[in-house]
């Protein structure tokens, strides 16, 4: 662990003189270089292969060292350099603001809940029906007041093609103090206190299941603990490949985002084990939205100060750099998308609903949620309906993205899979055409209808994008509806995908037909040769058949003579 230095302080802010910042940065680097000199200048263990390689690459000795040997020496040098980088990362002072993550001590966060969405198109409906009949969420509710099971409710809604939310059940831990009269009790992860599962029937073809996970005190504070923890540089072995080294700043970023992702994956895993659908088969899993409250920072009214920019990135909650997304259904909060374009980020397929605790508490004094002060999980329950509607739209956009990716993969591998006609290729082709054929057209029709005005007044949510606090008054950033923007992208995307699917199917069916004809011709030729061989065998057998004292062949030979 590096030692702290009194003469180096983190940057005071954007107004700090640039030359002073560069001077401090240079002083820190010089101090680290004194502690850990450059590789090849000492006799540490990793200096030896570095010096030997440099000696072999000198102009006088290259003619005596074959180039394959020099190439392996270069690989060895690349392998040992990370050990030197790791030594320097450990020697960096803890108060270095460039290589450490400094989270303001007064800033604390609390998470209240997580929402996970799953899609069940026609090809997944049988799996949904089996899961609903097996998981037992409605057993106590059936005993109390209902005559129809969850599977019956969903089946009836699909036949009617309704747009309606269906309460599938509530799950609580056996030792939980929560009173849920018709809840199903089973062991939950220690981070979850209650799981509420609802379903939305979108037309006759699509059922959307949303699970809301209320967090315990452990779950509410787990991300904050990792965020404020002191993280050390990491050294990751990768077999024979060059090891990976990260300084304290990137180690803290990765650890914090991994903790947030861990909570997301707990919810994804729980839902997948009990009710797996389309998203459970994808690489990034189900879409997720989580709810977080800051102690002092207000993302709606304040531009993030310099001291909080890196910590916000570590959380994956820096959001859009130019605009914020607000909804009147959740006063005091902003919707923060995850920046998936960065390879260093580990978070995928998720949004955050973020606000300042004090302001959210002032703007949302709704009856029925107990006395103040309310916990973050109480506010998450308060906003359950609004966030459930929001995740429906983001999941619809994600569904289109995953379909587009699967079609791209299918088109890229079509030549390799279907270049020759075989029975195995025909089976693959049948599987490839069956699920998209069942899902694409009806789901495209029904999912696009979610953006119709007549349905938005019942199941919709208004989310407006506008200039962030740092860009208020900017002429280049105007207001727009995030939901309508998603709707336009989904409609145009499905139109393109349906057209591409039709063209792709025509090509595959044509190839399959031609392949079948070629295979029939080949089989016919083989059958003809088999018939000729059979005829020759029969003729030879007939010639040598014993028909009394002599065979036909012996009589023929005698006649020739």
């Amino acid at each position: 662990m590096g030692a702290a230095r009194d003469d180096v302080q983190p940057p005071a802010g954007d107004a700090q003189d640039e030359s002073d910042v560069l001077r401090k940065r240079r002083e820190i680097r010089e101090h680290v270089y004194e502690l850990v000199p450059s590789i090849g200048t000492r006799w540490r263990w990793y200096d030896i292969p570095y010096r030997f390689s440099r000696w072999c690459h000198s102009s006088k000795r290259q003619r005596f060292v074959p180039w394959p040997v020099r190439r392996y020496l270069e690989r060895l040098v690349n392998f040992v350099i990370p050990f030197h980088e790791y030594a320097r990362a450990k020697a960096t002072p803890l108060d270095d603001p460039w290589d450490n993550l400094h989270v303001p001590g007064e800033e604390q966060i609390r998470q209240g809940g997580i929402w996970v969405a799953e899609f069940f198109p026609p090809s997944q409906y049988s799996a949904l029906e089996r899961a609903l009949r097996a998981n037992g969420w409605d057993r106590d509710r059936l005993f109390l007041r209902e005559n129809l099971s969850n599977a019956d409710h969903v089946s009836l809604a699909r036949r009617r093609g309704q747009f309606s939310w269906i309460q599938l059940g509530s799950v609580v831990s056996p030792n939980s103090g929560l009173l849920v009269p018709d809840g199903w009790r089973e062991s939950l992860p220690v981070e979850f206190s209650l799981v509420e599962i609802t379903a939305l029937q979108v037309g006759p073809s699509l059922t959307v299941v949303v699970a809301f996970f209320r967090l315990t005190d452990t779950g509410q504070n787990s991300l904050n603990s990792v965020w404020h923890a002191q993280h050390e540089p990491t050294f990751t072995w990768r077999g024979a490949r060059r090891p990976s080294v990260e300084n304290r700043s990137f180690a803290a970023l990765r650890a914090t985002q991994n903790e947030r992702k861990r909570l997301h994956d707990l919810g994804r895993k729980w839902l997948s084990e009990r009710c797996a659908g389309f998203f459970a088969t994808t690489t990034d899993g189900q879409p997720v939205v989580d709810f977080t409250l800051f102690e002092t920072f207000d993302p709606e009214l304040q531009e993030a100060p310099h001291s909080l920019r890196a910590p916000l990135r570590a959380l994956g909650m820096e959001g859009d750099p130019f605009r914020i997304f607000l909804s009147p259904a959740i006063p005091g909060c902003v919707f923060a998308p995850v920046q998936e374009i960065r390879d260093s980020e580990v978070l995928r397929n998720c949004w955050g609903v973020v606000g300042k605790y004090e302001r959210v508490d002032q703007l949302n004094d709704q009856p029925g949620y107990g006395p103040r002060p309310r916990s973050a999980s109480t506010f998450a329950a308060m906003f359950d309906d609004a966030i459930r509607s929001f995740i429906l739209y983001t999941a619809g956009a994600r569904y289109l993205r995953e379909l587009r990716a699967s079609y791209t993969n299918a088109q890229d591998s079509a030549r390799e899979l279907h270049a020759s006609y075989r029975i195995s290729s025909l089976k693959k082709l049948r599987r490839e055409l069956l699920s998209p054929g069942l899902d694409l057209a009806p789901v495209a029709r029904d999912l696009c209808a979610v953006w119709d005005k007549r349905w938005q007044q019942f199941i919709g949510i208004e989310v407006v994008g506008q200039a962030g606090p740092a860009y208020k008054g900017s002429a280049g950033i105007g207001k727009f509806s995030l939901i309508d923007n998603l709707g336009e992208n989904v409609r145009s995307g499905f139109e393109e995908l349906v057209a591409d699917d039709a063209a792709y199917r025509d090509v595959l069916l044509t190839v399959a037909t031609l392949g079948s004809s070629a295979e029939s011709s080949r089989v016919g030729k083989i059958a003809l040769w088999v018939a000729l061989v059979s005829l020759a065998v029969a003729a030879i057998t007939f010639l040598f058949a014993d028909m009394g004292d002599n065979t036909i062949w012996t009589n023929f030979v005698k006649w020739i003579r």
Side-chain angles (χ1 to χ4, degrees):
M1 177 180 286
R5 295 182 56 193
D6 297 334
D7 60 328
V8 179
Q9 298 297 328
D14 294 335
Q16 187 174 12
D17 184 74
E18 183 176 356
S19 61
D20 188 37
V21 173
L22 294 177
R23 180 183 58 80
K24 290 184 177 180
R25 178 61 171 159
R26 184 171 60 253
E27 289 178 358
I28 292 175
R29 286 199 173 275
E30 291 175 354
H31 174 69
V32 174
Y33 289 173
E34 291 175 1
L35 295 176
V36 184
S38 299
I39 187 171
T41 61
R42 295 291 188 274
W43 288 101
R44 297 156 298 195
W45 73 267
Y46 51 77
D47 289 316
I48 298 174
Y50 185 89
R51 285 178 172 232
F52 180 71
S53 176
R54 188 172 59 181
W55 182 82
C56 292
H57 279 78
S58 64
S59 58
K60 295 181 180 180
R61 303 175 184 89
Q62 281 189 8
R63 53 185 173 178
F64 301 108
V65 182
W67 70 265
V69 175
R70 296 198 305 270
R71 184 184 62 181
Y72 282 108
L73 288 175
E74 291 172 356
R75 292 182 178 179
L76 177 61
V77 168
N78 285 327
F79 186 83
V80 301
I81 284 177
F83 292 90
H84 177 256
E85 295 174 348
Y86 182 57
R88 278 191 170 171
K90 292 192 297 182
T92 302
L94 294 177
D95 52 5
D96 177 6
W98 292 272
D99 288 335
N100 294 272
L101 181 67
H102 292 149
V103 181
E106 68 277 6
E107 187 61 84
Q108 306 288 324
I109 59 172
R110 284 171 284 183
Q111 290 197 293
I114 297 172
W115 291 259
V116 181
E118 183 61 276
F119 273 20
F120 292 90
S123 62
Q124 299 283 346
Y125 174 68
S126 58
L128 172 63
E129 188 176 28
R130 288 194 301 269
L132 293 179
R133 295 191 185 280
N135 54 41
W137 295 335
D138 55 1
R139 292 177 186 172
D140 289 339
R141 191 173 74 242
L142 280 170
F143 178 75
L144 291 176
R145 63 179 185 274
E146 293 285 350
N147 294 321
L148 295 178
S149 65
N150 284 335
D152 295 333
H153 273 298
V154 172
S155 177
L156 182 62
R158 290 180 79 97
R159 291 198 303 270
R160 291 177 177 176
Q162 295 176 335
F163 284 72
S164 58
W165 287 105
I166 303 169
Q167 182 70 29
L168 297 180
S170 300
V171 181
V172 293
S173 297
N175 299 323
S176 173
L178 294 174
L179 178 61
V180 184
D182 56 356
W184 174 255
R185 292 190 176 267
E186 66 175 64
S187 297
L188 294 175
V190 294
E191 293 84 358
F192 300 152
S193 62
L194 172 67
V195 184
E196 295 182 350
I197 310 102
T198 54
L200 172 65
Q201 186 58 43
V202 181
S205 67
L206 180 64
T207 302
V208 182
V209 174
V210 179
F212 165 49
F213 299 85
R214 290 187 65 171
L215 301 182
T216 61
D217 291 339
T218 301
Q220 292 182 50
N221 296 314
S222 64
L223 182 60
N224 185 68
S225 300
V226 176
W227 192 42
H228 280 273
Q230 175 63 53
H231 298 276
E232 289 301 308
T234 60
F235 185 96
T236 305
W237 288 95
R238 301 194 298 172
R241 300 167 58 197
R242 175 178 172 138
S244 173
V245 176
E246 290 182 335
N247 60 20
R248 294 189 183 93
S249 179
F250 276 96
L253 182 147
R254 192 171 300 276
T256 305
Q257 291 197 7
N258 275 328
E259 178 62 19
R260 187 181 175 194
K261 183 176 181 291
R262 184 186 70 85
L263 294 174
H264 294 176
D265 290 344
L266 277 177
R268 287 172 173 144
K269 181 181 178 182
W270 189 92
L271 185 60
S272 296
E273 290 176 348
R274 291 156 181 81
C275 199
F278 171 82
F279 286 117
T281 62
T282 61
T283 303
D284 295 331
Q286 299 94 331
V288 171
V289 176
D290 57 13
F291 179 76
T292 307
L293 294 177
F294 286 87
E295 187 68 28
T296 62
F297 174 59
D298 191 335
E300 180 181 354
L301 302 180
Q302 296 176 263
E303 178 188 3
H306 190 282
S307 61
L308 201 57
R309 291 176 187 174
L312 284 177
R313 181 187 173 186
L315 291 171
M317 296 179 184
E318 73 271 40
D320 191 289
F322 303 105
R323 57 178 60 88
I324 57 176
F325 300 100
L326 308 174
S327 174
I330 311 179
C333 292
V334 303
F335 292 84
V338 168
Q339 304 295 329
E340 297 189 18
I341 59 175
R342 297 171 179 161
D343 293 336
S344 59
E345 318 295 318
V346 300
L347 293 168
R348 293 288 185 272
N349 197 14
C350 62
W351 281 70
V353 179
V354 187
K356 180 181 178 182
Y357 177 85
E358 182 180 359
R359 189 159 180 267
V360 170
D361 186 43
Q362 292 175 352
L363 297 177
N364 297 275
D365 188 16
Q366 298 183 20
Y369 290 94
R372 289 174 169 171
R374 299 187 177 104
S375 66
S377 63
T378 301
F379 285 112
M382 189 182 298
F383 303 138
D384 179 29
D385 291 343
I387 297 178
R388 198 173 349 116
S389 297
F390 176 75
I391 199 173
L392 168 64
Y393 292 102
T394 57
R398 191 72 185 195
Y399 179 73
L400 172 64
R401 177 175 172 177
E402 295 293 344
L403 284 183
R404 169 59 69 188
S406 65
Y407 268 92
T408 300
N409 292 335
Q411 291 171 343
D412 292 343
S413 59
R415 180 179 178 84
E416 185 71 22
L417 292 176
H418 309 299
S420 59
Y421 184 88
R422 296 186 300 271
I423 298 300
S424 60
S425 299
L426 185 60
K427 292 180 179 179
K428 292 179 181 178
L429 177 62
R430 182 178 61 187
R431 291 194 299 268
E432 188 175 323
L433 295 179
L434 179 59
S435 294
L438 290 173
D439 297 343
L440 182 57
V443 172
R445 177 199 64 219
D446 294 338
L447 190 57
C448 290
V450 173
W451 278 269
D452 291 347
K453 298 299 182 183
R454 57 173 179 162
W455 296 118
Q456 285 197 29
Q457 60 181 330
F458 298 110
I459 61 174
I461 180 175
E462 180 184 357
V463 180
V464 178
Q466 64 183 41
Y471 297 92
K472 282 187 177 179
S474 176
I477 305 178
K479 289 186 177 182
F480 70 96
S481 172
L482 174 64
I483 302 302
D484 291 344
N485 184 266
L486 289 175
E488 293 174 2
N489 294 336
V490 167
R491 289 190 182 95
S492 61
F494 269 121
E495 290 175 0
E496 295 176 0
L497 197 57
V498 169
D500 291 348
D501 176 66
Y504 180 60
R505 286 173 180 275
D506 289 341
V507 171
L508 290 186
L509 292 176
T510 302
V511 171
T513 303
L514 294 176
S516 178
S517 300
E519 184 71 9
S520 299
S521 176
R522 188 177 69 87
V523 171
K525 291 179 181 180
I526 294 174
L528 179 61
W529 282 105
V530 170
L532 291 175
V533 171
S534 299
L535 179 62
V537 171
I540 294 172
T541 304
F542 180 71
L543 288 174
F544 289 93
D546 187 3
M547 302 170 58
D549 296 334
N550 299 309
T551 65
I552 295 177
W553 176 254
T554 56
N555 291 334
F556 177 73
V557 172
K558 289 178 181 179
W559 180 80
I560 292 294
R561 291 177 178 178

